[in-house]
Amino acid sequence: MAMTVGERTRLRFFFGALGCVPLFLSGWFGWLQVLQAGEMKRPEGGRVALLAQAAEVQHERREHLPGARGTIVDRHGAILAMDCDAFEVRAEITIPRKHSADCKDARAYLLGMSRSLADALCRDNGLADRTAARAEHFTRIRDRIEAAFAWKDFPADGPLPAGAKRVREILVDRGVAVLSVIEALEELDRDQDGVLLHMQHDHARVYPEREVTYGLVGYVEDKPVLSPAGKLLAYRETALAGLEAVPELLPGAPGEREFHVDSKSHRFFTGVGRSAASPSRVESTIDLELQKAASRELERQALAVSGDAKDRPLWGALLMVEIATGDVLAAASWHRDVKHPRGAAFTPYQLLYEPGSIVKPLLFAYAREHKELDWDRSFDCSSTGADHHLDVPEVGGRRVRDDHGCGILTPHGILVNSSNIGSVKVGSLLSRDDWRRYLDVFGFERTLGLQMPAELVGYASKKGWLPGIKPAAFKKWTGSSYSIGYEHQVNALQMARAYLTLLNGATRELRMVRAVEVDGQRRERSVVAGSREFSPQTIEEVCAAMRDVLTDAQESTGRHVVAAFRKEGVELQGLLGGKTGTAKSRTTIKGKGTVEVRNASFVGFAPAEAPRYLVVCVLQRDDSARFYGGSYAAPPAVRLLLEALRLEERRRLGQGPQVSATPGSSGRSPRVAETGQAGR
Amino acid sequence: MKWVLCGLTFALSVVLAVATVSIRAGNTRLRLELAREFRSIEARRMEVGRLSLQTAEHATPERLCDRLRELLRAGGVVKTQESSSWQ
């Protein structure tokens, strides 16, 4: 079949044109690999190696999967704090060409984008006030977009200024975990031009029982990490209070996931990748039910002191410890003038007070054990005058006052009457060295060692320990003050530890973490016990006196609380033991200067014959009016002890906790669980 | 004849190229869908975790008791009998 000349020419032209393609490709390849020496400059300034590997990397991405912070549970496994999966949403916003010709148009486009993003974030059906939430989101996103695009530098009209960026990335929100919000954001990503959303894996810290565990469990915040030159390097999660400071809670190794992106930066699935390390688990000693009861009782008592808010106690602390192990079962904190617990001192270990008479059983046990105090010895505690005073000859004639006239008393009687005169006489048996050892044995100047941030460690007044002070002067002033719980400051947990030592007969430490599980391995925290200090006989004698404090006898300082509970049908006599304390002291209050305060305190234990639970309560009131430990600090402490016994019995029978029958006394506000992003 | 063979070879190569591209595009589309599906499962898993915590929080004895008190205070009628025969 012969072809015409025209046909031949057309075919030659066609195949000739086809032959140019490999020629062009060869030329291009030669230009890149030979003339450009295998590298190409990118618009951002960097150079990219022209290899197959580099081509792969161009569309490969790696997603960082941060490890979760550990979970904190109570002693029965109830969750107190945990990390929940959530997204950190970042938006890459591009001003489209059609809107970038005019500044007014560009600004309107960016405002519209802020509104769309805010609308998507409000697609949460659980939001109480959607309008307020939308306004808040809109303001925040608009401000971020404005800052990212330097929008303020745009002229009112006309084209965008030279050098103005058309593409910027902003943080939309953190801790996004609501499905409807995620779907709304994905819809926006799919349908709206000029925005590309990156959903990065993150965690939101959740505290299910927040209202009752704020200071105890604590919280974390991101703190900036700066270089020596002051440049911001990163943010590091830092625990500012409570159990969150346990080092094992730090997140484990992060995971990683690879994916590919298309020309429009949409992601391709390439597999599940490597997961982050599973979070550690911290088993605290807290009993959530007792913690609720402690918070409820402390608040109820503080509010009951006065109907007028300004006459209520300044602060209060109520805590419970298991005597056998030193486990802190509950620790509640209350403040009068604090609007939000974040930033407020956690009263059980971040506030100090002068303990007053609740140190007397400790002193008597020490004197009985180490100074051979005869438990049958009689002390003349007679006083004179309307203020029941006596210039005690044993301490150089220092004037000491009692609350009521006492007469001749044995050490047992002194404790039941809480006689200051008797206590000073017993305290006079101790030398300066004895007092030093007394402070050491009961740990009044020693840290709790619980690894809790911002602990305020108690201290004894330095004045009495100056080298120039003579023994007689020490005994007259410092020793006699120590005997009745003055001239030294303690926190409530230190007081609990001192009684733990007394009731166990050996120096003991408190425990707030029972065990830690890291990488599937559970490690128990051992119970810390020191040297033997008190014989069983001494412990029994002191406990007997404390049992008699809670009787209806005329001289016992706990008679009011016994009578009050009897009216409610509860007989405390023989059920509990305790000691009341009332101290008059001075403290500095911000905005008020130095003011006179009263510390009402109570320490108790249950059951009376074989103590298992120890409770300490302290309320401080900035008022000179009478404010007694037996009337104010004892009731919540006693209620908490009764609750512990009741709960123990219910658990033994396999029953759950019982909810208070009193309306409004559940100790919980009707808020939902706090979801803290912890600034991440 | 040789020109016809050349033309057919060229047509075959074009068809193969187009087929390869379309298969790859289909593959990409599936992978994109798979990625979207995976993300949506992740989002649902996240929601389940969040809701289970929220439910546990709302179902504590205290909150249930408070709700019951609210209902009683509001004058709600509490049925003491079974509401249907099958219960």
Side-chain angles (χ1 to χ4, degrees), chain A residues 32 58 87 97 115 160 172 180 211 215 239 251 287 344 364 414 434 457 523 530 534 564 591:
Chain A
L32 285 177
Q58 289 294 304
F87 283 124
R97 291 205 179 277
R115 208 165 287 121
L160 287 178
V172 176
S180 51
E211 305 91 30
D287 184 322
F364 280 47
I414 295 171
D434 290 324
V457 181
R523 289 195 300 271
F534 304 103

Side-chain angles (χ1 to χ4, degrees), chain A residues 579-601:
Chain A
K579 179 72 189 81
T580 61
T582 307
K584 191 167 79 173
S585 154
R586 297 181 77 78
T587 192
T588 306
I589 299 175
K590 201 176 173 185
K592 281 189 177 179
T594 305
V595 294
E596 193 170 280
V597 292
R598 299 272 176 161
N599 302 325
S601 52

